[in-house]
Amino acid sequence: MWHWECMRQRERRRDTVMASCLYYLIPALGGYSVASYFFLKNPHLLHARKHSAFHATHISHRGGCGEKLESTMEAFTHAVELGTHMLELDCHLTRDGQVVVSHDENLLRQTGSDVNISSLNYEELPLYKERLEVTFNTGHFSSGADRKLALLEDLFRKFPKMPVNIELKERNPALIDKVSELVKRYDREHLTVWATTSSSIMKICRSTNASMPYMFTVSRALWLLLLFYSGLLPFLPLGENFLQFYLPRVINRCVRVCVCVCVRARVCVRVRVCVCVYVCACARVCVCVMNEERTSCFSNCHASSPWRS
C-alpha cells in the first residue's frame, strides 16, 4: 500500500509540474507566434525599408534561350525589345583577360568544340552551333543569326540602364575583379547583381565590391527557410536582396518559377523548377511562372506587394 501511495504522489507532483509548465509555456508560445506574424506583416517596424534601383518580375534567363541562341547579343537585344526587366547571364574569363558571357566554361555543348574558354583568346573562341537545344526543354532547339559569344563589356555598353544578374560558377578572383572593374567603369553598381550558389565565392564577390546587391547562396537560402519556419525571420536582418534557389521538377521541363518574397524588403526569387507555391509576407499566396522557352513572366505578387515602390 505504501508503495502505491508513493507512486500516486509522484504522479500527482509530475502532473502538477507539467500543468505549471504548460500554464506558462502556452501563453509564451502564443505571444511569440502573434509577435512573429505581426512583425512579418509589418517588417518596417523593426527594420529599415530597403530601396532598390529596380524591381524585376520579368527575367530573361540567358537572354531568353528558347527564342534566340543563348547569351548572344541578339538574344539580349530581343529580350530587351520584348520589355524584360532583367537579363540573367553567366561569365567566364578568356586567356587574354576578356570577360565572356557564357553559361559553360567548356564549349562542347554550345559550339561542338571541346575547349575551355580560359584556354583561348577571345578571337579564337568558336562560334555557337547553328541550332542549340534548350537546356530545360529536351527536343526544343533555338537558333539565330548571331552565333558569336558576347563580351560583358559590349552588353554594358549597349544596355546601360538594364539590370543584369551575373552568376559566377567558379572561384576565380581574377574574373571577379574584372567583372567588378567593368561594373564600376560603366557606373552600374546599383543595376548589377552578384549571384552564385557558393558562399565562399559570394564572400570574394562581396569583399571585391560590397556596393553591388547580391543574392542568397544555397546555404543562406536554407538558413532563410529555417528562420521562416521557426518564426525568427522577422526579428533578424538580411543583407541579401535576391534569392535564387533550386527545387525538383514536378510537371515538365518547360516551366520555371519566379518568386517574390516580401520580408523586410522585396526579395526577388528565381527558381529553376517547374512550379512552386509560396506565401508572401503580405499574406497572399503568389505564383509567378516563367516558361523557359520564353522571356515572359507573369506574377500577381508584384502589384500586391506592400514593398512595391
Side-chain angles (χ1 to χ4, degrees):
M1 290 293 294
W2 179 83
H3 176 72
W4 287 108
E5 183 63 26
C6 289
M7 290 184 62
R8 282 195 293 270
Q9 289 179 0
R10 291 196 193 96
E11 290 177 357
R12 282 196 295 268
R13 284 197 296 269
R14 183 186 61 190
D15 293 341
T16 302
V17 171
M18 290 183 62
S20 299
C21 291
L22 291 175
Y23 179 81
Y24 293 104
L25 182 61
I26 292 176
L29 287 176
Y32 170 74
S33 300
V34 171
S36 178
Y37 179 77
F38 175 78
F39 287 116
L40 190 66
K41 293 274 288 182
N42 302 277
H44 57 279
L45 296 178
L46 292 179
H47 307 279
R49 189 187 299 265
K50 288 186 178 181
H51 298 281
S52 60
F54 62 92
H55 295 294
T57 58
H58 181 298
I59 303 169
S60 296
H61 181 241
R62 306 183 203 172
C65 57
E67 297 176 342
K68 300 293 181 181
L69 288 175
E70 64 179 55
S71 301
T72 59
M73 290 301 294
E74 182 182 25
F76 294 126
T77 302
H78 178 68
V80 172
E81 289 174 350
L82 289 180
T84 190
H85 298 156
M86 174 184 273
L87 300 175
E88 188 275 346
L89 53 88
D90 309 83
C91 287
H92 298 279
L93 199 64
T94 62
R95 185 172 58 191
D96 56 348
Q98 298 291 327
V99 181
V100 173
V101 179
S102 172
H103 182 268
D104 302 343
E105 157 69 4
N106 184 277
L107 295 176
L108 180 60
R109 177 185 67 86
Q110 297 157 269
T111 69
S113 300
D114 189 10
V115 294
N116 293 330
I117 292 176
S118 59
S119 65
L120 300 175
N121 295 330
Y122 177 68
E123 296 301 329
E124 300 171 338
L125 295 176
L127 299 176
Y128 275 104
K129 297 176 181 177
E130 293 184 1
R131 297 175 71 246
L132 186 64
E133 186 175 30
V134 180
T135 305
F136 299 100
N137 191 11
T138 302
H140 180 85
F141 293 82
S142 61
S143 60
D146 183 8
R147 296 170 54 199
K148 189 176 182 180
L149 276 76
L151 288 173
L152 182 63
E153 184 172 8
D154 291 342
L155 184 76
F156 285 172
R157 188 182 295 114
K158 186 169 185 178
F159 307 111
K161 303 300 182 182
M162 175 59 59
V164 175
N165 165 30
I166 300 178
E167 182 172 354
L168 300 175
K169 292 181 166 61
E170 55 182 309
R171 187 186 178 94
N172 187 340
L175 171 61
I176 296 172
D177 288 339
K178 192 69 176 180
V179 170
S180 176
E181 177 189 331
L182 290 173
V183 169
K184 291 178 180 178
R185 183 189 307 172
Y186 289 91
D187 192 24
R188 294 185 48 90
E189 289 180 295
H190 60 299
L191 292 173
T192 310
V193 181
W194 288 124
T196 179
T197 59
S198 169
S199 294
S200 61
I201 295 177
M202 182 59 74
K203 185 176 180 180
I204 300 174
C205 293
R206 293 285 296 149
S207 63
T208 302
N209 191 334
S211 300
M212 293 169 55
Y214 61 106
M215 286 194 174
F216 283 86
T217 60
V218 171
S219 60
R220 285 284 294 170
L222 293 175
W223 176 243
L224 178 70
L225 290 175
L226 178 62
L227 292 177
F228 177 79
Y229 286 110
S230 65
L232 292 171
L233 183 58
F235 306 107
L236 299 177
L238 295 176
E240 291 86 347
N241 304 87
F242 301 91
L243 171 63
Q244 174 178 287
F245 201 68
Y246 302 91
L247 295 174
R249 298 184 183 91
V250 293
I251 295 182
N252 56 43
R253 299 174 63 87
C254 300
V255 182
R256 290 177 67 196
V257 176
C258 279
V259 184
C260 295
V261 181
C262 311
V263 179
R264 290 191 301 282
R266 187 175 178 280
V267 182
C268 291
V269 180
R270 284 189 313 99
V271 187
R272 291 178 185 144
V273 298
C274 284
V275 72
C276 182
V277 179
Y278 43 92
V279 182
C280 288
C282 50
R284 294 176 174 86
V285 176
C286 304
V287 179
C288 174
V289 179
M290 185 188 323
N291 192 318
E292 183 66 32
E293 299 181 37
R294 306 296 172 186
T295 58
S296 57
C297 175
F298 306 92
S299 172
N300 65 346
C301 183
H302 179 60
S304 62
S305 170
W307 293 100
R308 185 182 181 187
S309 60

